[in-house]
Amino acid sequence: MKLSRLGLALAGATIVAAPLNAQVSANTAVGRWQTETRGGIVEIARCGPSLCGRLVASEHLRTNPDLRDVNNSDKSLRNRQLKGLQILSGFTQDGNVWDGGKIYNAEDGKTYKARITPAGPNELKLRGCVFVPFCKTQTWKRVR
């Protein structure tokens, strides 16, 4: 009898806590993040119900802040500045995961399907895919 009351109490606590956890995770990805490559810093923000992210710094931008998007597959976009360029867009929250979004890679000028999964308050797993299963995952660390 005591065991089933404890089980009911824990189940009730879980149900009550679930909306609180979802609310916290909705903004967990918001902030500035260090990418795994080239010293990149991406600032992720809420864009309505979605998330978006802009490139704010990298090793190359520190050397030349006026770098342009010269590798873009769309020739008409090759003159836009990389600094401040929106590289993340279109993510929809699904539980603790932000899915259905896109990430733009200025190195090859292509856009990939992407998913963002918080792995704690100071770490994100960002997966980009040409198409599943051809994906690559990076771990991004929060910048303080």
Side-chain angles (χ1 to χ4, degrees):
M1 202 55 122
K2 289 181 183 178
L3 185 56
S4 38
R5 284 188 198 151
L6 177 60
L8 287 174
L10 289 173
T14 302
I15 291 169
V16 170
L20 296 176
N21 289 338
Q23 185 64 22
V24 170
S25 68
N27 289 315
T28 301
V30 172
R32 286 187 173 212
W33 299 90
Q34 172 85 45
T35 68
E36 279 187 12
T37 57
R38 316 241 187 309
I41 304 289
V42 176
E43 184 169 23
I44 298 177
R46 295 297 298 256
C47 296
S50 183
L51 287 179
C52 57
R54 297 188 178 279
L55 180 63
V56 294
S58 73
E59 291 169 355
H60 297 299
L61 285 171
R62 287 188 255 308
T63 304
N64 180 4
D66 196 40
L67 279 178
R68 303 295 168 149
D69 191 12
V70 295
N71 296 321
N72 198 301
S73 56
D74 181 343
K75 290 181 183 183
S76 68
L77 298 176
R78 290 182 180 169
N79 197 36
R80 64 185 181 168
Q81 285 191 313
L82 286 180
K83 187 171 185 174
L85 182 66
Q86 184 172 317
I87 63 167
L88 298 173
S89 64
F91 292 88
T92 304
Q93 187 176 6
D94 183 10
N96 289 334
V97 174
W98 289 91
D99 206 1
K102 295 179 180 179
I103 183 166
Y104 174 70
N105 179 358
E107 288 185 358
D108 67 8
K110 295 180 182 174
T111 301
Y112 300 94
K113 293 179 183 179
R115 168 185 286 176
I116 298 171
T117 306
N122 298 311
E123 191 172 279
L124 296 178
K125 300 288 183 182
L126 193 130
R127 183 180 78 167
C129 303
V130 174
F131 58 88
V132 176
F134 297 104
C135 303
K136 181 178 179 185
T137 301
Q138 284 193 359
T139 300
W140 290 8
K141 305 285 185 182
R142 186 178 298 277
V143 176
R144 299 246 173 219

